[in-house]
Amino acid sequence: MQAPFSPIPTQAEPAMLSRLPIPAIVQQHADEAAHLRHVRSVLVRAPHVRLLQLGRLDERLDAHLDGLAVAGAEGLARAQVALEQCGCGEVFTAFAAALQARDADLQQRVLALAPAVPEAWRGIVSALGWSSAPLLREPVRMLLAAAPPWQRALGLEACRLHGVDPGPALAPALRADDPVLRLSALRTAAALGRTELLPLVLAALDAPPLAGAAARSACLLGDRGTALRALERAAFATPAACDPLRPLAVQALPPEQARAQLRELMPAAPREAVRAIGWLGDARLVPWLIERMEDVALARVAGEAFSTITGADLVALELEQPPPADLQTGPSDDPDDEDVALDDDENLPWPDPARVQRWWQARAGAFAAPRCFVGAAPTPAHLGQVLRTGTQRQRALAAQLLVLLQPGQAGFNVAAPTWRQRRLLGLPGRGG
C-alpha cells in the first residue's frame, strides 16, 4: 500500500506543474515592459513614426504586461523588485501591474514614490494613461478625494489622459496654492475644453512658476488677448527651444506677428527658426527652406519643415540623398568625450535640394492658402486626416490646431494607447 504523502505524482500534478510561472520568463516580461515603455516615450515624439508603427510597439508592450498578469503573484513580485531602480519604465510596469491585479497595497507602495522621485511621477502618470477605464474608477476616485495635493494632482492627470470630467475637484484645484496640483488642473482644464473655467485659468498668469502653463491653457481655451501676449513672451524669451510653448505661439499668433518673431530668432538660433517655419505654414518661405537644405547643419530640419508645409514624404517620393560621408552625429566612441547627447535630427531624411526644387517648381501653384499644413489648408476635416495618417510630430501639431480652430473641444491625445486612439478616430482595430 502506498504511504501517505507519497512523492509519486498523481495524474493531475504534471498538468498543474506545467502551468506554474517560469521565473526567468516572468522576469523577461518585467524587463521588456520597462524597456518598451522607454522606447515608446521616444517614438511618440518621433518624426518618422506613424500610428501603425506605434501600434506595433503597443501590442508588444501590452503582451508583456499580460504576461505579468497571467503570472499572478510571481508577476507582481517581479514588477515590485524592479522598483529598486525607480526608473520611469520600472515604475510604469509596477503600477500598471498593480492596477491590472487590483492590488491596492502595491498601488499605495508605488504611489508613495511619486512626491519624491520625478521619474516615478512620470511612470505613474504613464500607467494611469495606459490602463483601461474600468481598472481606474476606484483608484482615481480615491486620488481625487485624497488630502495630499499631489495625490489629487495624479487623479486629475488620469482624468486628463482619458478625457474624463473630474467633476467638482477641478475648479478648487485651479485655485490651489500647491503648484503641482494647480499645474495639473491647468493642463486638465485645457485638455477637456472647459471654457467656463477660463477666468480661473487666466488668474494663474499672475503665478510666475505657472505663467507659461496658464498662458498655454488659456490660449487653447480661446483667449487671444492677455494669454496670447503672455504666451508669446514666454515662447520667445530665449533662443532655446520652448516646447510646447513655441509651436502653440507660432500657430496662434497672427501670421505677420509670428514671422516677425522668427526673423528675430533667426540670427541667434537658425535651427529653431527653421523648425518654426514649418509650424507657421507659410508656403512663400518654401524656396528659402530649400536653400537651407544646402547647409549640413540645417538640411534635415529644413526638410522636415518643408514636409510639414507641403505634406511631401521625402523618402517615399525619393527626394532624399545619402548623408555626407564625413558626417559625425551623436555620441562618439571616444571615452573622454563628455558630449553624450543624441543627434536631434536622428531619423530625419537628408533632402536632395535639386530634386526637392524640381518637385516644388512643378507643384508650387497648388499652395496658395495663407497657411498650409501637411499639404492643405488646416480645416477640421484635413486635420482629422492628418491624425489618421501623419507622423507623430505632425499629429501633435494637428491636434493642437484643431483646438485652436474650435476652442472648447477636448484635445486629442496622440500619446494615448493606439487602440484607444483608433477607436476615437473611427479606425478599425482593437477598442478600449
Side-chain angles (χ1 to χ4, degrees):
M1 184 177 71
Q2 183 175 327
F5 310 110
S6 168
I8 301 174
T10 66
Q11 291 182 347
E13 283 176 337
M16 179 186 71
L17 291 173
S18 68
R19 292 195 298 269
L20 292 176
I22 301 173
I25 299 298
V26 180
Q27 184 64 56
Q28 183 178 10
H29 286 314
D31 293 343
E32 286 296 311
H35 170 68
L36 289 174
R37 166 58 187 80
H38 170 70
V39 173
R40 192 179 196 276
S41 69
V42 176
L43 294 190
V44 294
R45 298 171 178 83
H48 65 301
V49 172
R50 301 177 192 269
L51 195 59
L52 175 64
Q53 290 80 26
L54 188 62
R56 289 171 178 165
L57 181 136
D58 282 359
E59 293 294 342
R60 292 172 57 201
L61 174 54
D62 201 46
H64 287 295
L65 291 174
D66 280 348
L68 292 176
V70 170
E74 178 70 16
L76 288 175
R78 295 288 170 172
Q80 189 170 352
V81 167
L83 289 174
E84 295 175 1
Q85 297 185 42
C86 214
C88 178
E90 288 77 16
V91 173
F92 163 83
T93 301
F95 198 55
L99 289 168
Q100 178 68 32
R102 292 181 166 85
D103 188 322
D105 289 339
L106 181 54
Q107 290 173 29
Q108 290 304 313
R109 286 197 290 274
V110 179
L111 286 171
L113 301 170
V117 184
E119 288 296 297
W121 178 279
R122 291 178 55 235
I124 291 168
V125 170
S126 181
L128 289 169
W130 178 272
S131 301
S132 63
L135 297 175
L136 295 178
R137 289 192 182 103
E138 184 59 21
V140 172
R141 185 192 66 79
M142 295 179 65
L143 286 171
L144 291 174
W150 63 267
Q151 290 194 30
R152 299 204 299 277
L154 285 173
L156 291 178
E157 293 291 338
C159 293
R160 173 181 68 84
L161 293 170
H162 285 266
V164 174
D165 187 348
L170 183 54
L174 286 167
R175 303 187 187 96
D177 292 329
D178 184 84
V180 174
L181 175 57
R182 200 172 184 186
L183 175 60
S184 291
L186 290 169
R187 288 156 53 95
T188 302
L192 299 180
R194 296 286 299 274
T195 53
E196 79 280 7
L197 297 174
L198 183 56
L200 293 177
V201 174
L202 288 169
L205 291 171
D206 296 327
L210 300 173
R216 178 180 184 274
S217 294
C219 281
L220 290 172
L221 290 172
D223 187 276
R224 297 295 181 269
T226 304
L228 184 54
R229 290 191 293 272
L231 179 70
E232 182 180 13
R233 288 193 299 271
F236 294 98
T238 67
C242 295
D243 295 339
L245 298 183
R246 190 172 289 163
L248 179 61
V250 172
Q251 290 182 326
L253 284 169
E256 286 299 329
Q257 196 169 337
R259 276 193 290 268
Q261 286 287 2
L262 300 189
R263 282 194 295 269
E264 292 187 16
L265 183 64
M266 185 65 197
R271 186 177 181 281
E272 292 302 315
V274 170
R275 286 181 70 204
I277 287 172
W279 309 330
L280 180 62
D282 189 341
R284 293 174 298 178
L285 297 175
V286 166
W288 184 87
L289 284 175
I290 296 174
E291 292 177 3
R292 303 287 81 72
M293 295 176 190
E294 302 282 0
D295 184 336
V296 171
L298 300 177
R300 284 178 289 174
V301 72
E304 183 181 25
F306 174 83
S307 296
T308 302
I309 295 172
T310 65
D313 185 327
L314 300 181
V315 176
L317 295 171
E318 298 183 347
L319 301 179
E320 62 172 339
Q321 63 180 337
D326 57 349
L327 180 72
Q328 291 186 351
T329 62
S332 70
D333 295 330
D334 184 356
D336 296 326
D337 187 353
E338 297 181 358
D339 183 6
V340 295
L342 295 176
D343 181 9
D344 287 337
D345 296 336
E346 187 176 9
N347 296 315
L348 285 176
W350 285 89
D352 184 318
R355 293 180 186 176
V356 172
Q357 179 64 36
R358 289 193 294 271
W359 186 93
W360 175 248
Q361 286 177 340
R363 295 164 179 81
F367 297 91
R371 165 168 275 164
C372 293
F373 177 71
V374 194
T379 62
H382 176 63
L383 294 172
Q385 185 61 24
V386 175
L387 286 175
R388 294 175 179 85
T389 62
T391 67
Q392 280 298 109
R393 288 186 186 174
Q394 292 170 351
R395 298 178 74 235
L397 292 169
Q400 190 166 265
L401 274 171
L402 269 172
V403 176
L404 289 174
L405 289 176
Q406 302 172 331
Q409 72 168 342
F412 187 90
N413 181 10
V414 300
T418 47
W419 46 84
R420 192 179 305 151
Q421 294 190 53
R422 297 181 72 85
R423 173 173 55 81
L424 293 173
L425 292 170
L427 296 172
R430 171 184 163 186

